[in-house]
Amino acid sequence: MLLPVKWLKEYVNIDVDSRILADELTLSGSHVESIISLDRGLEKIVVGKIEKIEKHENADKLLIVNANVGDETLQIVTGATNLKVGDYVPVALIGAKLPNGLYIEKTSFRGVESYGMLCSLKELGYDDSVIPKHQRDGIFVLDEEYPLGTPIAKILGLYGEIIELEITPNRPDCLSIVGMAREAAATFNKKLELPTVKVRDEIEDIKNYVESIEIDEELCNRYYTRVIKDIRIEESPLWLQIHLMEAGVRPINNIVDVTNYVMLEFGQPLHAFDLDKLSHKKILVRRAKEGEKIITIDGQERILNPDNLLITDGENPLGIAGVMGGMDSEVTEETTTVLLESANFSDKSIRSTSKQLNLRTEASIRFEKGLDPNLCEIAAERACQLIEQIGAGKIVKGKIDVYKNRREEKTINLRSERVNRLLGTQLSVDDMIDYLERLDLKTNVNGNVLEVKIPTYRLDLNIEADLIEEIGRLHGFHNIEAQPLIGVLTRGEKPYSRIISDKVGSILRGFGLNEVITYSFISPKTYDRIKVESNSQLRNYIRLLNPLGEDYSVMRTTLIPNMLDLLSRNYNRGIKECYLYEIGNIFIPKELPLKQLPKEEKILVIGMYGNVDFYYLKEIITVVLERLGIREFDYIKEENNPTFHPNRTANVMVKGNSIGVLGEIHMDVLENYNLDTRVYIAQLNFDVLVEQSNLDRKYKPLPKYPAILRDIAIVVDEDVLVGEIEKVILEYGEGLIESIELFDIYEGKQIESGKKSVAFSLTFRSSEKTLKDEEVNKIHEKIIQELGKRFDAKLRS
């Protein structure tokens, strides 16, 4: 935001250097980015009057002008075409130096001497962006008669500075000259003097021009309107144009300039409609229809939807509320009657519309940050006052004000002792009251509590801490004495869950797996791709209100689709082997529609393809469980999970409860992911792993006695589980079996159809004595007999 210091001083009497002003504003919380000097070094440029214009005999595009500069009349050659006799213009005398570095000397143009130069606004140092369109390509013609020979810098007020400020989003009240005047008055403890707003003369009745106003109360908080008739569209007075240009706004015409002036002054955007162009004598503020179109004043056609708010005459669109007016109702040179709109719209609606249309204006910037609806009246009345003051029109008596949900001042209680405790100060209650009332925060003392009344334009003050910050910034945070830190140092350590996570990660990386991190948002179609049943709890997912797209529109309830996506991407890019794992969250809603935060569960998922099989994945899970100190675990065959192969899948059981699943992915699911290789995935509840883990270790001495190894190879039905066989071996091992290692499973030509050969290596050892072959042979035979009874197992010859 650009803050002309001269304009600021119209409301608060601050007699300090602009740099001091900028420094103090920064210290009190208003961040100053730069200071721009208005003094462009314009010397020997004065007011002149055109007394004679002749054509140059030797140049068709040049004119010879006689310009009276007070004490002499100069002959000047110019190429400007916008001049006439009697115009008052800036004249650069010989010896003048312009802001662009041009030095004026006596010059001859095709045999005619020129003793100076007539200046445009650009040559006087103004930027193209703020120069009125009709002044861009010609000499700057002054709006009235001024004493000849007067320095042009005095006429244009080219002295002082402009302060450029960065206004934080929570302070929309500071996006105005009055708002910054309040800040300056509070900072320097000066009195704020706002203009007295009053319309002197009013004629007729607004009811003759406007019958009714209806608004969408959800998106429009207030709609205040006045009517001005007998409009004369012309250039604004020079003082008004200079105020706008110094604040970075290009002058257009007197009516538009007044609305922009008031917007800059009070921060409330206004809009003027040509009343004669309305089809009906009413205003309807409504949502746009799907696909409805409007051509805005920039000449662009905009396609709208029901999220956009329109100003209409009950039938035709007049403008996009809070963003830009429509071309069909634009104020032009033929306009004679104006309807002045001063409204307050939903900040969320304006922000959404502006973003959707890629259209940001000075009005939308202010609306999307939130404005006080109580500004509407004073802004509209101020505009009427200025229009009357500059003679641009006559004000019609009456107003129409639709304002049902009035915003009232609120009160916040402030504890004085808490102020000093949080700020580290020793301020008295009187000091606190002084700081607050300098900010127009009326304060009443009630015991130890300050009852502070908050003006409706301070949208950022909602809790006690906000008021403490206000006191702190006016007192000056730089004035608060630094205190040494006081506290008890403690030794930090990782939470237990993080220790387990690191340990599991270390184990898996030892097996050659790489860790991955995937998005928490997935597509609802992925549940179909992994063949989840329609009534499965996995489909009880949370939908996002504003997703990036359909592929990221729901919060995941399983990590399997993310893992399959990664394996598929690697496989289809020619990666022959892939071993991955992730420890991530899933999100389980407690109820739908969502009324409270969902339950987050941490999940471990492992995925792989290549030179691996089901038993390799099972071995990884077994090692993880054992290293975490989990002893009571088992694997139970699972045949009803549609994502996995029915004969190569198992539930992982810990203390009788399932904590996850591991197995080979079903071929139909693989086809959905363009995978034509076997893929193995395990998914475990990591929170349960943390809960059941036990990292305490008891050490025992190395065995004193030697071990005896025995191999056993049996033929059993193909549906007999290896885990069941291992249970029988341990049961009849008489406590002497130290380990069981499965080293072969075979199904082929040498084995009967429907059967499989399973081979184990058994390690026998006693902690009390050296075992003899006879003892081990007896146990071995007993195991073989029991396997035969239980599973009809036969030794493979």
Side-chain angles (χ1 to χ4, degrees), residues 192-222:
L192 180 67
E193 297 179 357
L194 297 180
T196 301
V197 178
K198 185 177 180 181
V199 178
R200 293 193 304 271
D201 300 313
E202 296 178 309
I203 61 174
E204 300 187 34
D205 192 328
I206 194 172
K207 294 180 181 177
N208 299 332
Y209 296 88
V210 182
E211 294 176 353
S212 66
I213 294 178
E214 298 177 24
I215 65 174
D216 182 323
E217 294 182 12
E218 182 181 354
L219 301 183
C220 180
N221 304 316
R222 187 179 189 183

mmCIF file of all heavy atoms in Angstrom, residues 192-222:
data_model
loop_
_atom_site.group_PDB
_atom_site.id
_atom_site.type_symbol
_atom_site.label_atom_id
_atom_site.label_comp_id
_atom_site.label_asym_id
_atom_site.label_seq_id
_atom_site.Cartn_x
_atom_site.Cartn_y
_atom_site.Cartn_z
ATOM 1 N N LEU A 192 -6.767 12.216 16.342
ATOM 2 C CA LEU A 192 -7.204 11.875 14.984
ATOM 3 C C LEU A 192 -8.350 12.796 14.597
ATOM 4 O O LEU A 192 -9.340 12.924 15.317
ATOM 5 C CB LEU A 192 -7.664 10.413 14.930
ATOM 6 C CG LEU A 192 -8.145 9.898 13.578
ATOM 7 C CD1 LEU A 192 -6.992 9.837 12.584
ATOM 8 C CD2 LEU A 192 -8.786 8.522 13.726
ATOM 9 N N GLU A 193 -8.229 13.473 13.470
ATOM 10 C CA GLU A 193 -9.256 14.408 13.003
ATOM 11 C C GLU A 193 -9.804 13.923 11.664
ATOM 12 O O GLU A 193 -9.228 14.204 10.613
ATOM 13 C CB GLU A 193 -8.669 15.812 12.875
ATOM 14 C CG GLU A 193 -8.182 16.383 14.197
ATOM 15 C CD GLU A 193 -7.574 17.770 14.052
ATOM 16 O OE1 GLU A 193 -7.484 18.246 12.904
ATOM 17 O OE2 GLU A 193 -7.193 18.357 15.064
ATOM 18 N N LEU A 194 -10.918 13.192 11.718
ATOM 19 C CA LEU A 194 -11.542 12.682 10.507
ATOM 20 C C LEU A 194 -12.426 13.753 9.878
ATOM 21 O O LEU A 194 -12.937 14.639 10.578
ATOM 22 C CB LEU A 194 -12.375 11.440 10.830
ATOM 23 C CG LEU A 194 -11.595 10.237 11.360
ATOM 24 C CD1 LEU A 194 -12.523 9.065 11.637
ATOM 25 C CD2 LEU A 194 -10.504 9.824 10.388
ATOM 26 N N PRO A 195 -12.605 13.698 8.561
ATOM 27 C CA PRO A 195 -13.445 14.713 7.905
ATOM 28 C C PRO A 195 -14.898 14.627 8.373
ATOM 29 O O PRO A 195 -15.421 13.543 8.615
ATOM 30 C CB PRO A 195 -13.306 14.363 6.419
ATOM 31 C CG PRO A 195 -12.895 12.926 6.397
ATOM 32 C CD PRO A 195 -12.062 12.721 7.620
ATOM 33 N N THR A 196 -15.530 15.781 8.503
ATOM 34 C CA THR A 196 -16.958 15.821 8.825
ATOM 35 C C THR A 196 -17.738 15.515 7.560
ATOM 36 O O THR A 196 -17.606 16.222 6.541
ATOM 37 C CB THR A 196 -17.345 17.205 9.365
ATOM 38 O OG1 THR A 196 -16.565 17.473 10.535
ATOM 39 C CG2 THR A 196 -18.824 17.243 9.724
ATOM 40 N N VAL A 197 -18.517 14.458 7.601
ATOM 41 C CA VAL A 197 -19.228 14.006 6.403
ATOM 42 C C VAL A 197 -20.673 14.497 6.465
ATOM 43 O O VAL A 197 -21.436 14.122 7.359
ATOM 44 C CB VAL A 197 -19.188 12.474 6.286
ATOM 45 C CG1 VAL A 197 -19.969 12.017 5.068
ATOM 46 C CG2 VAL A 197 -17.742 11.984 6.215
ATOM 47 N N LYS A 198 -21.048 15.360 5.510
ATOM 48 C CA LYS A 198 -22.403 15.891 5.477
ATOM 49 C C LYS A 198 -22.724 16.371 4.071
ATOM 50 O O LYS A 198 -21.919 17.060 3.437
ATOM 51 C CB LYS A 198 -22.552 17.052 6.466
ATOM 52 C CG LYS A 198 -23.969 17.579 6.561
ATOM 53 C CD LYS A 198 -24.078 18.686 7.604
ATOM 54 C CE LYS A 198 -25.516 19.189 7.686
ATOM 55 N NZ LYS A 198 -25.657 20.282 8.686
ATOM 56 N N VAL A 199 -23.885 15.977 3.594
ATOM 57 C CA VAL A 199 -24.376 16.450 2.302
ATOM 58 C C VAL A 199 -25.262 17.664 2.555
ATOM 59 O O VAL A 199 -26.207 17.608 3.346
ATOM 60 C CB VAL A 199 -25.154 15.345 1.568
ATOM 61 C CG1 VAL A 199 -25.705 15.863 0.252
ATOM 62 C CG2 VAL A 199 -24.259 14.129 1.331
ATOM 63 N N ARG A 200 -24.959 18.774 1.861
ATOM 64 C CA ARG A 200 -25.688 20.019 2.151
ATOM 65 C C ARG A 200 -27.070 20.049 1.507
ATOM 66 O O ARG A 200 -28.069 20.309 2.151
ATOM 67 C CB ARG A 200 -24.862 21.214 1.667
ATOM 68 C CG ARG A 200 -23.563 21.422 2.433
ATOM 69 C CD ARG A 200 -22.975 22.798 2.106
ATOM 70 N NE ARG A 200 -22.779 22.981 0.666
ATOM 71 C CZ ARG A 200 -21.658 22.645 0.030
ATOM 72 N NH1 ARG A 200 -20.655 22.094 0.691
ATOM 73 N NH2 ARG A 200 -21.542 22.849 -1.271
ATOM 74 N N ASP A 201 -27.125 19.784 0.218
ATOM 75 C CA ASP A 201 -28.386 19.928 -0.518
ATOM 76 C C ASP A 201 -28.793 18.606 -1.138
ATOM 77 O O ASP A 201 -27.978 17.940 -1.790
ATOM 78 C CB ASP A 201 -28.249 20.988 -1.613
ATOM 79 C CG ASP A 201 -27.885 22.341 -1.041
ATOM 80 O OD1 ASP A 201 -28.518 22.751 -0.048
ATOM 81 O OD2 ASP A 201 -26.959 22.981 -1.584
ATOM 82 N N GLU A 202 -30.047 18.219 -0.952
ATOM 83 C CA GLU A 202 -30.602 17.011 -1.553
ATOM 84 C C GLU A 202 -31.913 17.352 -2.245
ATOM 85 O O GLU A 202 -32.664 18.229 -1.789
ATOM 86 C CB GLU A 202 -30.841 15.939 -0.488
ATOM 87 C CG GLU A 202 -29.567 15.456 0.185
ATOM 88 C CD GLU A 202 -29.820 14.438 1.274
ATOM 89 O OE1 GLU A 202 -30.660 14.714 2.163
ATOM 90 O OE2 GLU A 202 -29.192 13.362 1.241
ATOM 91 N N ILE A 203 -32.189 16.657 -3.323
ATOM 92 C CA ILE A 203 -33.397 16.934 -4.097
ATOM 93 C C ILE A 203 -34.171 15.646 -4.338
ATOM 94 O O ILE A 203 -33.633 14.544 -4.241
ATOM 95 C CB ILE A 203 -33.061 17.603 -5.451
ATOM 96 C CG1 ILE A 203 -32.167 16.664 -6.302
ATOM 97 C CG2 ILE A 203 -32.370 18.935 -5.235
ATOM 98 C CD1 ILE A 203 -31.907 17.188 -7.704
ATOM 99 N N GLU A 204 -35.461 15.785 -4.657
ATOM 100 C CA GLU A 204 -36.348 14.679 -5.016
ATOM 101 C C GLU A 204 -36.339 13.570 -3.971
ATOM 102 O O GLU A 204 -36.126 13.812 -2.781
ATOM 103 C CB GLU A 204 -36.002 14.157 -6.416
ATOM 104 C CG GLU A 204 -36.134 15.217 -7.504
ATOM 105 C CD GLU A 204 -35.961 14.634 -8.883
ATOM 106 O OE1 GLU A 204 -36.370 13.465 -9.080
ATOM 107 O OE2 GLU A 204 -35.411 15.319 -9.756
ATOM 108 N N ASP A 205 -36.572 12.315 -4.414
ATOM 109 C CA ASP A 205 -36.670 11.173 -3.502
ATOM 110 C C ASP A 205 -36.124 9.941 -4.196
ATOM 111 O O ASP A 205 -36.466 9.674 -5.357
ATOM 112 C CB ASP A 205 -38.133 10.938 -3.101
ATOM 113 C CG ASP A 205 -38.265 9.958 -1.950
ATOM 114 O OD1 ASP A 205 -37.422 9.042 -1.854
ATOM 115 O OD2 ASP A 205 -39.201 10.080 -1.151
ATOM 116 N N ILE A 206 -35.297 9.181 -3.480
ATOM 117 C CA ILE A 206 -34.669 7.989 -4.072
ATOM 118 C C ILE A 206 -35.696 6.965 -4.532
ATOM 119 O O ILE A 206 -35.447 6.170 -5.436
ATOM 120 C CB ILE A 206 -33.678 7.359 -3.071
ATOM 121 C CG1 ILE A 206 -32.765 6.335 -3.783
ATOM 122 C CG2 ILE A 206 -34.409 6.720 -1.899
ATOM 123 C CD1 ILE A 206 -31.649 5.808 -2.924
ATOM 124 N N LYS A 207 -36.893 6.982 -3.929
ATOM 125 C CA LYS A 207 -37.936 6.020 -4.308
ATOM 126 C C LYS A 207 -38.408 6.220 -5.735
ATOM 127 O O LYS A 207 -39.004 5.320 -6.330
ATOM 128 C CB LYS A 207 -39.110 6.117 -3.339
ATOM 129 C CG LYS A 207 -38.757 5.682 -1.920
ATOM 130 C CD LYS A 207 -39.955 5.791 -0.990
ATOM 131 C CE LYS A 207 -39.577 5.373 0.428
ATOM 132 N NZ LYS A 207 -40.727 5.533 1.371
ATOM 133 N N ASN A 208 -38.149 7.407 -6.278
ATOM 134 C CA ASN A 208 -38.504 7.645 -7.684
ATOM 135 C C ASN A 208 -37.531 6.953 -8.635
ATOM 136 O O ASN A 208 -37.807 6.865 -9.835
ATOM 137 C CB ASN A 208 -38.510 9.145 -7.971
ATOM 138 C CG ASN A 208 -39.529 9.893 -7.131
ATOM 139 O OD1 ASN A 208 -40.552 9.325 -6.737
ATOM 140 N ND2 ASN A 208 -39.250 11.157 -6.849
ATOM 141 N N TYR A 209 -36.413 6.499 -8.109
ATOM 142 C CA TYR A 209 -35.366 5.928 -8.957
ATOM 143 C C TYR A 209 -35.125 4.439 -8.688
ATOM 144 O O TYR A 209 -34.778 3.697 -9.607
ATOM 145 C CB TYR A 209 -34.055 6.701 -8.742
ATOM 146 C CG TYR A 209 -34.136 8.135 -9.178
ATOM 147 C CD1 TYR A 209 -34.585 9.122 -8.302
ATOM 148 C CD2 TYR A 209 -33.770 8.519 -10.457
ATOM 149 C CE1 TYR A 209 -34.666 10.451 -8.696
ATOM 150 C CE2 TYR A 209 -33.837 9.843 -10.861
ATOM 151 C CZ TYR A 209 -34.300 10.810 -9.978
ATOM 152 O OH TYR A 209 -34.364 12.115 -10.373
ATOM 153 N N VAL A 210 -35.273 4.036 -7.433
ATOM 154 C CA VAL A 210 -35.027 2.634 -7.069
ATOM 155 C C VAL A 210 -36.214 2.136 -6.255
ATOM 156 O O VAL A 210 -36.576 2.739 -5.244
ATOM 157 C CB VAL A 210 -33.722 2.476 -6.246
ATOM 158 C CG1 VAL A 210 -33.483 0.997 -5.935
ATOM 159 C CG2 VAL A 210 -32.537 3.063 -6.990
ATOM 160 N N GLU A 211 -36.810 1.029 -6.689
ATOM 161 C CA GLU A 211 -37.988 0.507 -6.001
ATOM 162 C C GLU A 211 -37.620 -0.404 -4.842
ATOM 163 O O GLU A 211 -38.216 -0.337 -3.767
ATOM 164 C CB GLU A 211 -38.873 -0.254 -7.001
ATOM 165 C CG GLU A 211 -39.485 0.639 -8.075
ATOM 166 C CD GLU A 211 -40.279 -0.151 -9.101
ATOM 167 O OE1 GLU A 211 -40.238 -1.408 -9.034
ATOM 168 O OE2 GLU A 211 -40.913 0.462 -9.963
ATOM 169 N N SER A 212 -36.651 -1.288 -5.056
ATOM 170 C CA SER A 212 -36.320 -2.256 -4.003
ATOM 171 C C SER A 212 -34.917 -2.802 -4.205
ATOM 172 O O SER A 212 -34.346 -2.716 -5.303
ATOM 173 C CB SER A 212 -37.330 -3.414 -4.006
ATOM 174 O OG SER A 212 -37.212 -4.166 -5.211
ATOM 175 N N ILE A 213 -34.392 -3.363 -3.118
ATOM 176 C CA ILE A 213 -33.099 -4.050 -3.150
ATOM 177 C C ILE A 213 -33.239 -5.367 -2.402
ATOM 178 O O ILE A 213 -33.713 -5.393 -1.260
ATOM 179 C CB ILE A 213 -31.985 -3.205 -2.514
ATOM 180 C CG1 ILE A 213 -31.725 -1.949 -3.356
ATOM 181 C CG2 ILE A 213 -30.696 -4.006 -2.380
ATOM 182 C CD1 ILE A 213 -30.679 -1.021 -2.777
ATOM 183 N N GLU A 214 -32.853 -6.458 -3.048
ATOM 184 C CA GLU A 214 -32.877 -7.775 -2.414
ATOM 185 C C GLU A 214 -31.460 -8.353 -2.478
ATOM 186 O O GLU A 214 -30.773 -8.205 -3.484
ATOM 187 C CB GLU A 214 -33.852 -8.723 -3.129
ATOM 188 C CG GLU A 214 -35.294 -8.245 -3.099
ATOM 189 C CD GLU A 214 -36.211 -9.185 -3.873
ATOM 190 O OE1 GLU A 214 -35.841 -10.369 -4.017
ATOM 191 O OE2 GLU A 214 -37.266 -8.725 -4.344
ATOM 192 N N ILE A 215 -31.051 -9.021 -1.391
ATOM 193 C CA ILE A 215 -29.687 -9.554 -1.340
ATOM 194 C C ILE A 215 -29.688 -11.012 -0.910
ATOM 195 O O ILE A 215 -30.629 -11.467 -0.253
ATOM 196 C CB ILE A 215 -28.799 -8.740 -0.373
ATOM 197 C CG1 ILE A 215 -29.295 -8.875 1.073
ATOM 198 C CG2 ILE A 215 -28.723 -7.288 -0.795
ATOM 199 C CD1 ILE A 215 -28.387 -8.222 2.099
ATOM 200 N N ASP A 216 -28.658 -11.726 -1.313
ATOM 201 C CA ASP A 216 -28.382 -13.067 -0.790
ATOM 202 C C ASP A 216 -27.661 -12.873 0.532
ATOM 203 O O ASP A 216 -26.480 -12.542 0.572
ATOM 204 C CB ASP A 216 -27.503 -13.838 -1.786
ATOM 205 C CG ASP A 216 -27.194 -15.263 -1.344
ATOM 206 O OD1 ASP A 216 -27.005 -15.465 -0.126
ATOM 207 O OD2 ASP A 216 -27.136 -16.153 -2.199
ATOM 208 N N GLU A 217 -28.376 -13.044 1.640
ATOM 209 C CA GLU A 217 -27.835 -12.699 2.948
ATOM 210 C C GLU A 217 -26.653 -13.563 3.358
ATOM 211 O O GLU A 217 -25.860 -13.172 4.216
ATOM 212 C CB GLU A 217 -28.935 -12.802 4.009
ATOM 213 C CG GLU A 217 -30.026 -11.767 3.809
ATOM 214 C CD GLU A 217 -31.086 -11.854 4.884
ATOM 215 O OE1 GLU A 217 -30.862 -12.553 5.895
ATOM 216 O OE2 GLU A 217 -32.155 -11.242 4.717
ATOM 217 N N GLU A 218 -26.505 -14.744 2.735
ATOM 218 C CA GLU A 218 -25.367 -15.601 3.074
ATOM 219 C C GLU A 218 -24.062 -15.021 2.550
ATOM 220 O O GLU A 218 -23.018 -15.133 3.180
ATOM 221 C CB GLU A 218 -25.579 -17.009 2.504
ATOM 222 C CG GLU A 218 -24.466 -17.976 2.864
ATOM 223 C CD GLU A 218 -24.677 -19.366 2.265
ATOM 224 O OE1 GLU A 218 -25.752 -19.608 1.665
ATOM 225 O OE2 GLU A 218 -23.773 -20.196 2.407
ATOM 226 N N LEU A 219 -24.113 -14.371 1.379
ATOM 227 C CA LEU A 219 -22.896 -13.872 0.742
ATOM 228 C C LEU A 219 -22.812 -12.347 0.730
ATOM 229 O O LEU A 219 -21.764 -11.797 0.376
ATOM 230 C CB LEU A 219 -22.800 -14.395 -0.698
ATOM 231 C CG LEU A 219 -22.779 -15.922 -0.871
ATOM 232 C CD1 LEU A 219 -22.616 -16.284 -2.330
ATOM 233 C CD2 LEU A 219 -21.677 -16.547 -0.032
ATOM 234 N N CYS A 220 -23.893 -11.672 1.090
ATOM 235 C CA CYS A 220 -23.903 -10.206 1.118
ATOM 236 C C CYS A 220 -24.424 -9.763 2.478
ATOM 237 O O CYS A 220 -25.587 -10.001 2.818
ATOM 238 C CB CYS A 220 -24.774 -9.650 -0.012
ATOM 239 S SG CYS A 220 -24.849 -7.850 -0.063
ATOM 240 N N ASN A 221 -23.571 -9.116 3.260
ATOM 241 C CA ASN A 221 -23.944 -8.721 4.617
ATOM 242 C C ASN A 221 -24.724 -7.409 4.648
ATOM 243 O O ASN A 221 -25.584 -7.222 5.508
ATOM 244 C CB ASN A 221 -22.684 -8.569 5.472
ATOM 245 C CG ASN A 221 -21.840 -9.829 5.475
ATOM 246 O OD1 ASN A 221 -22.373 -10.927 5.604
ATOM 247 N ND2 ASN A 221 -20.542 -9.678 5.299
ATOM 248 N N ARG A 222 -24.408 -6.508 3.712
ATOM 249 C CA ARG A 222 -25.074 -5.205 3.711
ATOM 250 C C ARG A 222 -25.026 -4.613 2.313
ATOM 251 O O ARG A 222 -24.038 -4.809 1.591
ATOM 252 C CB ARG A 222 -24.398 -4.251 4.697
ATOM 253 C CG ARG A 222 -25.130 -2.918 4.873
ATOM 254 C CD ARG A 222 -24.412 -2.020 5.876
ATOM 255 N NE ARG A 222 -25.217 -0.850 6.196
ATOM 256 C CZ ARG A 222 -24.828 0.133 6.994
ATOM 257 N NH1 ARG A 222 -23.634 0.082 7.576
ATOM 258 N NH2 ARG A 222 -25.609 1.168 7.237
#
